[in-house]
Amino acid sequence: MAGQIRDYWRNFIDGKWLDAADGRRIAVTDPATGGVIAEVARGGSADIDQAVAAARRCFDSRALLEMTPAARGELMFEIARRLDDFADEIALVEMHDNGKTLANGYKEVELTQRYLRYYGGLADKLEGRQIPLGDGLVDYTVHMPYGVSAQIVPWNGPLPVGARSIACALITGNTVVLKSPEDSPLSLFLFAEACAKAGVPEGAVNIVCGIGAEAGAALVSHSDIDHIVFTGSVATGKSVLRAAAERVIPAVMELGGKSAGIVYADADLERTARNAARGIFHHSGQICSAASRLLVHRSVHDELVERLRAEAVRRSVGPGIESCDMGPVISQRQLDRIEALCDTGVAEGATLVTGGHRLERAGFFLPPTIFTGVSPDMQIANEEFFGPVVVVLPFDEPEEAIRIANGTDYGLAAGVFTRDLRLAHWTADRLVAGQVYVNDWWVGGVETPFGGAKRSGYGREKGQEALLGYVQTKNIGIRL
Ligand code: NAD
């Protein structure tokens, strides 16, 4: 699709489009070229104050709570419908500020609409309990919203990740201030336009772009927020939790991962290699639940690595506009970080099978990268690349595979590849991870709860279970 990206984008606060209070702006870069494509208002603490005040006013006005739950659901359906009008522009900005292909940009819109419709449908189905206390007494529970929900999303999938949290918040009666990611902020501004067109009450959804250490820190430490949803790195997550602890407010934490796929000797190696390649090279590995470690039974190790290498080298790497198989990583900073970690792998004695060095061209491109000869204590076996890099470790016994898989600080996702259902069950049972994929990385969807164990965080997004993170139970006991 041909199209022009708007030069300048303002923050969405209290239903209005506003410059930053101090007039500052952030330049947005196309990771496929390194060139600046737009500017956005650089929200700071004054803008966050204004957004939180608007969200508070809206919450206190009970504008959402006075709607029936079904009407709040209808509102989600209407946002989903309005997004159709922005689909072309969203696909375009996702291509230029995030490095996706146009086709994947459209998929982000579809996924976002799916979240909105899923949670819209659940709006009138969140039921409480009646608890029997005996004669003369009635006792029941209701779900009450927290109030103002502060949400921080990362740059890899800002639109669906932001929209699903906003949808959960709104249908349960909370209002939202979302700090959008400074590297890829544009699609969420278009989501805000869809909210405005759909008739979302003013102040119910506020979207402020800003630098993490400025606007993000100002938001999570604000004295008038009631709830936090944070998706991002463990390091930032810890500082967010310190701010939450200061105010004793709850937080849903969706953090990083170093997820292991275990390949047993009886696995279908051709399918497994294809699937594992997709699990790490999709969106250049910039997915928290990417298959970034492969633990392979020694008897099939060499064959699987060869098949994986073939998958890696057949992928075209280049700009989304050329519909290449794999696009850039998000920024110069990420490219430098990932490449430096690859150098560490080589220095640690691992074998670089393919990739590992940036492409000598404009933009931030690192080709699909595979390391073998990796041992569990190496830095590259423990640290998240958040790039298209997979480390392969051999094992001999299932218990050893479990030990290695569970041996990092993370516990986001894990996978098992085998034809033996008993072994698959046994393995899934012992893996410490929020989700386990059997014979297909990323089995699941909008309907399935998603979240981490250990340092990968807590609380769940997606599925019905996510709603429980946005409400607290109020018990009402009555003596008749
Ligand atoms: P990051 O932690 O640097 O940034 C995430 C967000 O936090 C950004 O919007 C950023 O502006 C903001 N931020 C930064 N400093 C802040 C501060 N002091 N206070 C408040 N907010 C602050 O992470 P990133 O590099 O943008 O994203 C990649 C990380 O996110 C990876 O670790 C990845 O695994 C994780 N991630 C997790 C999930 C999940 O659902 N579990 C999904 C996507 C990404």
Side-chain angles (χ1 to χ4, degrees):
M1 174 222 152
Q4 202 61 50
I5 293 184
R6 308 174 202 180
D7 296 340
Y8 174 52
W9 304 65
R10 294 180 171 82
N11 290 317
F12 184 66
I13 299 174
D14 207 10
K16 299 169 197 67
W17 296 95
L18 301 178
D19 296 316
D22 59 12
R24 288 189 303 168
R25 297 180 177 197
I26 299 173
V28 181
T29 301
D30 184 339
T33 64
V36 172
I37 50 164
E39 287 184 315
V40 299
R42 177 171 170 165
S45 60
D47 308 280
I48 292 292
D49 283 349
Q50 208 177 342
V52 172
R56 171 62 58 200
R57 268 195 311 278
C58 182
F59 183 74
D60 288 348
S61 77
R62 299 183 63 83
L64 285 171
L65 292 174
E66 281 172 5
M67 296 167 76
T68 61
R72 292 200 291 272
E74 284 293 339
L75 194 55
M76 299 306 109
F77 299 150
E78 186 58 22
I79 302 171
R81 270 193 293 273
R82 296 289 180 163
L83 272 183
D84 277 336
D85 301 340
F86 298 97
D88 292 340
E89 201 175 352
I90 290 173
L92 186 74
V93 301
E94 281 290 337
M95 182 165 74
H96 285 295
D97 79 354
N98 209 325
K100 296 183 197 289
T101 59
L102 210 49
N104 283 339
Y106 281 108
K107 280 193 192 147
E108 296 279 284
V109 179
E110 280 166 30
L111 176 61
T112 302
Q113 290 173 317
R114 178 84 186 91
Y115 275 123
L116 289 162
R117 292 186 174 121
Y118 178 81
Y119 285 113
L122 281 178
D124 54 358
K125 295 171 191 69
L126 192 61
E127 297 171 352
R129 291 196 300 150
Q130 184 269 324
I131 298 161
L133 291 181
D135 268 0
L137 294 165
V138 172
D139 194 284
Y140 60 96
T141 64
V142 296
H143 296 297
M144 61 175 176
Y146 283 103
V148 176
S149 175
Q151 307 187 348
I152 303 225
V153 296
W155 41 261
N156 57 341
L159 180 68
V161 172
R164 74 185 181 204
S165 300
I166 290 176
C168 286
L170 294 184
I171 65 161
T172 50
N174 298 279
T175 58
V176 178
V177 178
L178 182 145
K179 205 291 283 173
S180 59
E182 56 270 45
D183 286 323
S184 60
L186 304 183
S187 56
L188 276 169
F189 287 132
L190 294 165
F191 179 78
E193 286 197 28
C195 287
K197 289 238 161 68
V200 171
E202 286 176 6
V205 173
N206 303 274
I207 294 190
V208 181
C209 183
I211 305 292
E214 297 171 5
L219 177 57
V220 296
S221 58
H222 198 285
S223 61
D224 205 23
I225 61 164
D226 304 301
H227 175 249
I228 294 176
V229 182
F230 176 78
T231 307
S233 62
V234 176
T236 310
K238 287 182 186 174
S239 74
V240 170
L241 280 176
R242 279 190 282 272
E246 208 45 59
R247 305 210 41 254
V248 198
I249 59 173
V252 176
M253 304 301 287
E254 299 282 4
L255 307 177
K258 189 78 178 174
S259 303
I262 298 177
V263 184
Y264 286 115
D266 69 339
D268 176 336
L269 294 187
E270 194 211 325
R271 286 190 53 183
T272 302
R274 218 180 320 124
N275 199 252
R278 178 173 151 264
I280 185 62
F281 302 137
H282 181 65
H283 198 26
S284 305
Q286 302 170 110
I287 297 183
C288 50
S289 52
S292 52
R293 290 184 297 156
L294 266 193
L295 316 187
V296 186
H297 192 267
R298 203 176 295 278
S299 65
V300 293
H301 174 275
D302 292 356
E303 183 181 346
L304 187 83
V305 168
E306 180 44 37
R307 288 178 183 275
L308 192 61
R309 194 194 64 80
E311 286 288 334
V313 298
R314 77 165 180 76
R315 281 173 157 69
S316 58
V317 180
I321 201 161
E322 293 169 17
S323 296
C324 290
D325 297 322
M326 208 179 81
V329 298
I330 190 72
S331 62
Q332 183 73 52
R333 180 177 53 91
Q334 279 296 100
L335 181 65
D336 293 346
R337 202 186 64 77
I338 297 166
E339 200 182 40
L341 197 47
C342 287
D343 292 345
T344 302
V346 173
E348 286 180 305
T351 304
L352 193 54
V353 175
T354 183
H357 304 288
R358 72 187 66 196
L359 298 186
E360 290 308 326
R361 56 169 296 167
F364 314 130
F365 294 96
L366 189 101
T369 299
I370 302 170
F371 277 103
T372 56
V374 178
S375 59
D377 56 337
M378 287 182 183
Q379 197 178 336
I380 58 165
N382 291 279
E383 202 168 303
E384 190 183 27
F385 278 91
F386 215 60
V389 184
V390 59
V391 298
V392 185
L393 297 88
F395 70 88
D396 294 299
E397 297 301 328
E399 288 79 6
E400 184 190 0
I402 297 290
R403 233 182 359 262
I404 299 171
N406 290 342
T408 74
D409 280 349
Y410 293 109
L412 190 55
V416 192
F417 297 88
T418 176
R419 291 182 165 101
D420 179 342
L421 192 53
R422 190 200 56 81
L423 186 59
H425 254 299
W426 181 90
T427 306
D429 192 47
R430 281 158 182 75
L431 286 167
V432 183
Q435 37 276 308
V436 177
Y437 310 123
V438 180
N439 287 335
D440 188 8
W441 202 264
W442 289 317
V443 174
V446 165
E447 309 85 345
T448 52
F450 180 87
K454 300 198 285 181
R455 300 304 89 66
S456 292
Y458 45 78
R460 291 293 177 265
E461 292 281 36
K462 302 169 52 170
Q464 298 188 31
E465 204 168 318
L467 291 182
L468 300 177
Y470 292 78
V471 290
Q472 49 196 333
T473 300
K474 183 194 283 183
N475 188 79
I476 298 172
I478 306 174
R479 182 170 294 285
L480 295 174

